[in-house]
Amino acid sequence: MELNDANLQTLTEFLRKTLDPDPAVRRPAEKFLETVEGNQNYPLLLLTLLEKSQDTVIRVCAAVTFKNYIKRNWRIIEDEPNKISDADRTAIKANIVNLMLSSPEQIQKQLSDAISIIGREDFPQKWPDLLTEMVTRFRSGDFHIINGVLRTAHSLFKRYRHEFKSNELWTEIKLVLDTFALPLTELFKATIELCQTHSNDVNALKVLFSSLTLISKLFYSLNFQDLPEFFEDNMETWMTNFHGLLTLDNKLLQTDDEEETGLLELLKSQICDNAALYAQKYDEEFQPYLPRFVTAIWNLLVSTGQGVKYDLLVSNAIQFLASVCERPHYKHLFEDQNTLTSICEKVIVPNMEFRSADEEAFEDNSEEYIRRDLEGSDIDTRRRAACDLVRGLCKFFEGPVTSIFSGYVNSMLAEYAKNPRENWKHKDAAIYLVTSLASKAQTQKHGITQANELVNLTEFFVNHILPDLKSPNVNEFPVLKADAIKYVMIFRSQLPKELLLQAVPLLITHLQAESTVEHTYAAHALERLFTMRGPNNATLITAAEMAPFTEQLLTNLFKALALPGSAENEYIMKAIMRSFSLLQEAIVPYVPSLIGQLTLKLLQVSKNPSKPHFNHYLFESLCLSVRITCKANPTTVSSFEEALFPVFTEILQNDVQEFLPYVFQVMSLLLEIHSNSIPASYMALFPHLLQPVLWERTGNIPPLVRLLQAYLEKGGASIAASAADKIPGLLGVFQKLIASKANDHQGFYLLNSIIEHMPPESITQYRKQIFILLFQRLQSSKTTKFIKSFLVFVNLYCVKYGAIALQEIFDSIQPKMFGMVLEKIIIPEVQKVSGAVEKKICAVGITKILSECPAMMDTEYTKLWTPLLQALIGLFELPEDDSIPDDEHFIDIEDTPGYQTAFSQLAFAGKKEHDPIGDAVGNPKILLAQSLHKLSTACPGRVPSMLSTSLNAEALRFLQGYLQAASVQLL
């Protein structure tokens, strides 16, 4: 694509169409952009548009498209084509920083993100001048440019907060510090001076304070891994100024908005984070500054209002206190009973209150409320921070803190009892206080695992939680009902089983509540209870115990999906999946009606898949209903196919990328249930599965390979008879997979199925070419994973076609090739094979080479006979060799570039391990003994003399054992 006006015009038109709400206009435009994005100059056309177009909408659209293009394609993946030409890469890096700094803020943000994506791959090695180019802009004095640099630096350095320590990382951080730390410190000081100069100019202050916030964030990232020498030497400058900013109050920066966090609050909350980082990690160096930060942050907390806009600041300030109070050598700051009482009274209790803003979120923004409250992404909420502070204080002062709060809890419950309708928030706060006091350690799987002995959880449950769960009106006091359900969920490992069983029918009733939070919590609580394990690792609650409630449970769960706001509620869907899994054959009578509801739901969500977890559990539930029903009666598989195939066809025709890997897995499951034949409906689809476009997407590969394996297993012969023209396509897929280090094992899965299930004559003409491809790959890049797969394949070939055929095909490619493969690959590497079935295949294959291949007995290959036998005995008796060469450690980990549907394995579509040898060989050691006996009968005296001259003594001892066990001897 050339950089000319015609192409710019075309691109503008297609970008405009991608914003069209009508899918008939939008989809083709998106497809068009997808097809041209591989062309050279495409990214430069986008950059030209975002710089020069007269239409702001097109400029922003070009910026977003460019960022997503970089996200998808910049990373160079081994074995895959480079999607952006070198010329384009160089041109992008040469222009993007200038462009970003001169663009309006909306576009600047997109380009800043793109720079950080490129930087993650190319900085510092392939983009050494990025930092110097950015740092020189600090001198411009233009804060639009400076903030652009700071924002980019922030997205570039943010990863230092969660990267694992490594020499590479240290080298990079050192380079960054050498270039960046001093200019950043100078900029920090200059910006603070400018704030004083312009203290009455609100517009200047807004820009300067957003700079200070970004500088503070950069300080956090650069100090996270370790305390850099530069910052230690300049601690006085940073900490004194941080402290000054914490105590600063400028009326001009206060906002009228009750919801949105102001600039001053954002800056102060980041400074609280920075102080907490130093207090936790560098306490010795920070010691001199700590008391004044504790005082400043305490005063902040006592003087800051309850408004939503202060939430981030208050929660970060409380988190600072929490991180300080659990460090042994700051303990003395909190020892005084008055200090503890004051913290409880002035900080903890007020921040545990359920505010009107929380009530609004509960009713009108339930999804966000649930995310914050259930999933722990409420890190920024006051309640969570107050809860952490309680936990921190309990570390050293459990007794006094518990007794202070017990008083509060009792008085709150008394207030509630006086007038429940008016004072229900008092009970809510009391439950929250008890929860935060009682929970010491928590895991996602078990809820609270360690509790405070001073709190009687069972008594509190019976007196205060159960009455709310039992109340006949599920829609009254929804917040308290949600609290009660959450209490069951959190303390499920602490409460006795009989109370949990008492709670189950009550929770089932709460699935009908109108409140989204309430019925979601009920579904989540049931799902968590159903996963609990009792003695013998069986589920704590059994299907038999659920029998009286089964119908009600299934009815209410499916009805809950019809409640407003819960059409795609992932918690309900997960509870459906878990119920199926727990109840097993008890669901069979209900499946005919439920499968209709599930397929209808699938059809609806496939129009616009937006909730990945919901969709995953929906497919899991489909798999479970198929599995459980067909286990009881395999012939019902056809009724599932009738229900599911129309929806699957629509998903395949519309190319709903997110769903394809799931559809292939469910189809595999259905096809594997059939007895040995392929129904016509599947055969019609077979050619489509070989289309190259499907194999381009990494997420499709594992499920597609499995589906093709199912086709081969159920109808290798009918494919050979009626679709022989498709065999080259099938081998083409194998060839593509084998070329990739990430997917070569999938190629071998497919190849092994072809060898095992296709009639031999149907692939005779292709066999030699298959081996040649494998040798080419062995020469170009020989990895441990490839060798292991190669060994299994060679031995499976030997088991299937015989040792003579194996030797002949090797030697037909190149004379004496068979001996080279034995000597260089099979003998030295067979110890690396892992997995019981894989080892069995290799053992039977090698046994056949030893005993059924004449060339091994009377040609130059004979010298390899004993080493091969010794390698086989090693495979039986020695531990597996799991060493991996240093340069290969990360080969299996394929980091899929953004926007590609990663492969999501369905747990309940799991495939049983298949043993191609089956019962024909029970014990390979006995088979070896019997085969050697047979061989020695054919040529008496040869085998014992070969053994006595060159097999080592230990191996000989093991072999003697096999011969005894098989009751045979060598002649």
Side-chain angles (χ1 to χ4, degrees):
M1 290 176 84
E2 286 180 30
L3 276 170
N4 58 31
D5 290 345
N7 280 338
L8 286 169
Q9 189 54 43
T10 310
L11 196 53
T12 305
E13 283 163 23
F14 278 102
L15 285 173
R16 187 166 279 118
K17 285 179 185 168
T18 62
L19 303 171
D20 198 298
D22 178 1
V25 178
R26 189 179 68 249
R27 286 240 171 87
E30 289 168 347
K31 282 270 183 251
F32 170 78
L33 291 179
E34 226 175 278
T35 54
V36 296
E37 72 171 27
N39 297 348
Q40 188 164 350
N41 289 333
Y42 171 76
L44 305 183
L45 283 164
L46 284 174
L47 288 178
T48 311
L49 275 185
L50 71 83
E51 183 185 12
K52 299 191 171 153
S53 171
Q54 301 303 306
D55 184 337
T56 317
V57 174
I58 291 298
R59 291 181 69 185
V60 174
C61 182
V64 174
T65 307
F66 175 79
K67 180 193 74 179
N68 291 339
Y69 164 81
I70 294 292
K71 197 171 185 176
R72 272 197 307 275
N73 300 314
W74 193 272
R75 171 171 290 179
I76 297 173
I77 295 171
E78 193 173 13
D79 306 324
E80 291 195 14
N82 179 355
K83 295 174 186 157
I84 303 178
S85 72
D86 290 340
D88 282 357
R89 285 174 187 270
T90 309
I92 289 169
K93 285 193 286 200
N95 295 307
I96 190 166
V97 175
N98 270 335
L99 247 179
M100 183 267 295
L101 296 175
S102 59
S103 298
E105 194 164 339
Q106 243 182 327
I107 293 172
Q108 194 179 65
K109 281 186 171 145
Q110 300 298 332
L111 290 179
S112 173
D113 284 350
I115 292 173
S116 65
I117 295 164
I118 298 171
R120 206 168 301 142
E121 300 300 321
D122 288 15
F123 175 78
Q125 275 79 20
K126 296 185 196 164
W127 201 359
D129 52 353
L130 170 65
L131 268 195
T132 36
E133 192 180 347
M134 281 168 38
V135 166
T136 49
R137 306 307 168 93
F138 283 166
R139 301 194 200 110
S140 67
D142 176 343
F143 272 85
H144 173 73
I145 290 178
I146 290 170
N147 281 356
V149 172
L150 291 171
R151 198 174 293 117
T152 306
H154 172 52
S155 55
L156 207 53
F157 305 153
K158 201 164 48 179
R159 65 187 181 87
Y160 301 158
R161 302 174 181 196
H162 43 247
E163 292 265 321
F164 287 117
K165 295 185 172 174
S166 68
N167 286 338
E168 205 180 334
L169 182 69
W170 289 115
T171 313
E172 184 180 323
I173 293 177
K174 186 178 180 324
L175 179 94
V176 168
L177 289 165
D178 291 346
T179 318
F180 209 80
L182 179 63
L184 186 71
T185 308
E186 297 301 327
L187 180 68
F188 181 49
K189 291 193 292 198
T191 311
I192 284 175
E193 278 173 24
L194 285 168
C195 288
Q196 288 157 357
T197 317
H198 296 284
S199 56
N200 297 320
D201 178 349
V202 66
N203 290 333
L205 284 175
K206 280 181 178 169
V207 176
L208 293 167
F209 268 79
S210 40
S211 307
L212 285 172
T213 305
L214 284 164
I215 292 170
S216 303
K217 287 181 172 176
L218 284 164
F219 176 90
Y220 189 86
S221 299
L222 294 175
N223 282 273
F224 191 87
Q225 288 281 346
D226 200 1
L227 178 56
E229 195 179 331
F230 178 87
F231 285 105
E232 191 175 347
D233 295 342
N234 289 274
M235 202 182 294
E236 178 66 29
T237 302
W238 285 92
M239 290 305 156
T240 309
N241 282 313
F242 278 158
H243 182 261
L245 290 168
L246 267 183
T247 50
L248 174 85
D249 190 19
N250 190 318
K251 297 282 181 282
L252 292 176
L253 287 169
Q254 290 178 354
T255 52
D256 299 332
D257 192 324
E258 275 308 304
E259 297 282 320
E260 199 176 340
T261 311
L263 285 167
L264 200 54
E265 288 77 47
L266 283 172
L267 174 60
K268 288 182 178 184
S269 52
Q270 184 56 50
I271 293 173
C272 288
D273 264 357
N274 295 356
L277 176 74
Y278 265 56
Q280 272 174 316
K281 286 187 138 187
Y282 317 124
D283 39 22
E284 211 172 295
E285 294 83 354
F286 189 55
Q287 198 90 38
Y289 303 94
L290 182 86
R292 65 177 106 153
F293 273 91
V294 171
T295 310
I297 287 172
W298 172 259
N299 290 335
L300 248 184
L301 280 169
V302 179
S303 60
T304 302
Q306 284 280 12
V308 174
K309 65 177 171 183
Y310 302 120
D311 283 5
L312 180 66
L313 173 58
V314 170
S315 70
N316 280 8
I318 297 177
Q319 288 291 2
F320 167 78
L321 287 183
S323 63
V324 172
C325 75
E326 60 180 22
R327 313 284 296 180
H329 50 269
Y330 301 141
K331 194 168 113 179
H332 62 278
L333 294 171
F334 300 91
E335 266 167 344
D336 183 7
Q337 181 77 16
N338 294 334
T339 308
L340 286 174
T341 309
S342 175
I343 290 177
C344 296
E345 189 180 311
K346 293 186 173 155
V347 176
I348 293 171
V349 172
N351 285 302
M352 287 215 171
E353 283 171 13
F354 195 77
R355 300 165 304 165
S356 50
D358 299 317
E359 201 173 344
E360 271 174 38
F362 185 94
E363 287 167 9
D364 305 332
N365 193 358
S366 50
E367 208 168 302
E368 178 61 22
Y369 181 91
I370 291 164
R371 210 169 58 84
R372 288 207 313 242
D373 189 47
L374 258 197
E375 296 171 20
S377 68
D378 62 346
I379 295 300
D380 296 338
T381 66
R382 295 169 178 246
R383 281 190 140 183
R384 167 57 63 94
C387 201
D388 288 347
L389 181 52
V390 172
R391 250 178 241 162
L393 289 169
C394 281
K395 188 167 176 183
F396 295 119
F397 314 108
E398 191 167 46
V401 170
T402 306
S403 66
I404 294 170
F405 280 139
S406 301
Y408 277 109
V409 169
N410 291 332
S411 68
M412 287 168 174
L413 290 170
E415 283 298 308
Y416 166 74
K418 280 184 206 161
N419 185 347
R421 192 155 296 288
E422 288 298 313
N423 298 339
W424 61 267
K425 286 184 183 177
H426 289 280
K427 181 168 183 180
D428 168 80
I431 296 174
Y432 211 90
L433 251 178
V434 169
T435 306
S436 60
L437 259 182
S439 35
K440 279 185 170 179
Q442 182 169 10
T443 66
Q444 198 66 40
K445 191 172 176 188
H446 302 290
I448 299 299
T449 51
Q450 216 189 336
N452 178 340
E453 282 82 40
L454 306 172
V455 181
N456 186 332
L457 291 169
T458 306
E459 190 182 301
F460 191 83
F461 177 78
V462 172
N463 295 338
H464 302 289
I465 300 292
L466 211 48
D468 281 344
L469 290 175
K470 284 182 166 169
S471 112
N473 182 353
V474 291
N475 293 318
E476 189 183 33
F477 301 135
V479 175
L480 291 183
K481 297 278 199 305
D483 288 341
I485 296 168
K486 191 177 167 191
Y487 186 95
V488 176
M489 190 164 57
I490 291 182
F491 293 114
R492 60 185 181 275
S493 297
Q494 258 58 42
L495 295 168
K497 180 177 174 179
E498 57 275 15
L499 285 180
L500 296 178
L501 280 173
Q502 208 178 331
V504 166
L506 304 173
L507 292 171
I508 292 173
T509 309
H510 283 278
L511 288 168
Q512 299 174 330
E514 287 163 14
S515 152
T516 306
V517 176
E518 191 182 332
H519 64 244
T520 301
Y521 280 21
H524 188 47
L526 286 164
E527 189 271 328
R528 294 285 81 193
L529 292 180
F530 292 166
T531 55
M532 289 176 75
R533 298 278 160 194
N536 315 331
N537 208 26
T539 52
L540 181 70
I541 295 175
T542 63
E545 287 165 330
M546 286 301 298
F549 322 120
T550 298
E551 187 163 343
Q552 202 55 53
L553 169 70
L554 295 172
T555 308
N556 286 6
L557 279 169
F558 276 88
K559 270 190 188 164
L561 283 176
L563 291 166
S566 279
E568 292 181 40
N569 186 320
E570 66 184 69
Y571 292 97
I572 298 173
M573 203 68 238
K574 193 176 186 184
I576 290 173
M577 170 191 86
R578 198 70 69 195
S579 304
F580 283 9
S581 172
L582 175 74
L583 297 167
Q584 290 295 324
E585 54 277 5
I587 68 164
V588 172
Y590 307 100
V591 166
S593 69
L594 298 181
I595 198 74
Q597 297 182 58
L598 288 170
T599 39
L600 183 64
K601 183 59 77 179
L602 177 58
L603 191 61
Q604 289 161 357
V605 295
S606 68
K607 301 276 187 279
N608 181 19
S610 55
K611 296 277 181 67
H613 289 109
F614 177 86
N615 300 336
H616 187 90
Y617 300 135
L618 171 57
F619 277 104
E620 291 281 22
S621 304
L622 284 169
C623 289
L624 274 162
S625 37
V626 169
R627 219 166 237 265
I628 294 166
T629 313
C630 295
K631 187 175 160 190
N633 178 3
T635 55
T636 51
V637 68
S638 56
S639 56
F640 282 107
E641 287 162 349
E642 273 167 39
L644 290 167
F645 269 35
V647 191
F648 285 179
T649 308
E650 194 160 319
I651 291 171
L652 290 165
Q653 280 169 347
N654 294 331
D655 190 25
V656 184
Q657 294 188 19
E658 297 88 333
F659 281 5
L660 294 186
Y662 290 129
V663 168
F664 297 143
Q665 286 176 83
V666 181
M667 286 182 65
S668 303
L669 182 66
L670 292 164
L671 184 50
E672 284 158 10
I673 292 166
H674 279 276
S675 52
N676 293 329
S677 65
I678 302 186
S681 52
Y682 287 88
M683 275 315 285
L685 184 68
F686 183 66
H688 301 288
L689 300 178
L690 303 174
Q691 286 173 347
V693 59
L694 284 178
W695 296 88
E696 290 300 320
R697 299 182 201 139
T698 333
N700 286 348
I701 290 174
L704 263 178
V705 166
R706 176 182 169 189
L707 182 54
L708 290 180
Q709 283 183 288
Y711 270 90
L712 290 162
E713 187 188 333
K714 296 297 173 188
S718 51
I719 290 174
S722 64
D725 55 331
K726 296 294 173 281
I727 296 176
L730 200 55
L731 292 167
V733 169
F734 151 75
Q735 182 173 358
K736 177 181 167 52
L737 295 175
I738 217 78
S740 149
K741 282 187 190 170
N743 298 316
D744 49 18
H745 60 293
Q746 297 285 349
F748 276 112
Y749 292 160
L750 188 57
L751 181 58
N752 292 345
S753 290
I754 292 172
I755 295 298
E756 188 187 344
H757 300 295
M758 292 290 279
E761 64 284 357
S762 66
I763 54 166
T764 308
Q765 56 181 324
Y766 308 110
R767 282 188 216 167
K768 190 169 173 181
Q769 188 53 38
I770 289 172
F771 277 93
I772 289 171
L773 284 172
L774 294 176
F775 281 122
Q776 284 168 345
R777 168 61 210 273
L778 265 175
Q779 280 176 323
S780 64
S781 69
K782 171 178 151 185
T783 63
T784 306
K785 176 160 76 93
F786 186 86
I787 294 275
K788 284 160 74 166
S789 303
F790 179 75
L791 285 168
V792 174
F793 160 70
V794 167
N795 284 297
L796 181 68
Y797 189 94
C798 178
V799 172
K800 184 77 180 163
Y801 296 129
I804 298 174
L806 182 70
Q807 177 244 319
E808 285 174 349
I809 197 158
F810 277 138
D811 287 347
S812 71
I813 294 170
Q814 186 183 320
K816 301 186 189 160
M817 174 75 98
F818 182 57
M820 286 193 280
V821 171
L822 286 177
E823 188 177 0
K824 297 279 191 297
I825 299 177
I826 296 183
I827 293 170
E829 304 282 8
V830 75
Q831 205 58 44
K832 289 202 163 91
V833 173
S834 51
V837 172
E838 288 81 354
K839 285 184 170 177
K840 183 176 175 184
I841 292 170
C842 288
V844 177
I846 293 173
T847 300
K848 279 182 169 295
I849 295 173
L850 287 167
S851 62
E852 295 175 14
C853 178
M856 287 299 287
M857 294 307 284
D858 48 17
T859 66
E860 63 202 78
Y861 295 156
T862 310
K863 64 177 189 294
L864 298 171
W865 192 90
T866 318
L868 183 61
L869 174 62
Q870 185 147 329
L872 175 54
I873 296 172
L875 179 67
F876 287 144
E877 305 300 343
L878 294 174
E880 179 193 320
D881 170 10
D882 53 7
S883 62
I884 292 179
D886 286 345
D887 56 340
E888 271 183 45
H889 275 295
F890 298 106
I891 255 155
D892 296 353
I893 300 165
E894 171 94 357
D895 193 348
T896 18
Y899 298 117
Q900 284 212 9
T901 327
F903 167 53
S904 299
Q905 176 93 46
L906 290 170
F908 294 110
K911 184 182 181 188
K912 289 196 292 290
E913 183 158 53
H914 167 67
D915 176 359
I917 296 168
D919 298 334
V921 176
N923 180 346
K925 295 178 185 178
I926 302 288
L927 176 75
L928 173 64
Q930 291 166 340
S931 304
L932 290 179
H933 167 71
K934 199 166 152 196
L935 177 68
S936 73
T937 318
C939 35
R942 286 287 306 277
V943 177
S945 77
M946 283 158 76
L947 294 179
S948 58
T949 50
S950 49
L951 192 68
N952 85 24
E954 204 179 349
L956 196 53
R957 223 180 22 257
F958 281 121
L959 182 60
Q960 237 89 61
Y962 310 158
L963 293 163
Q964 273 172 346
S967 316
V968 293
Q969 49 194 5
L970 302 177
L971 303 169

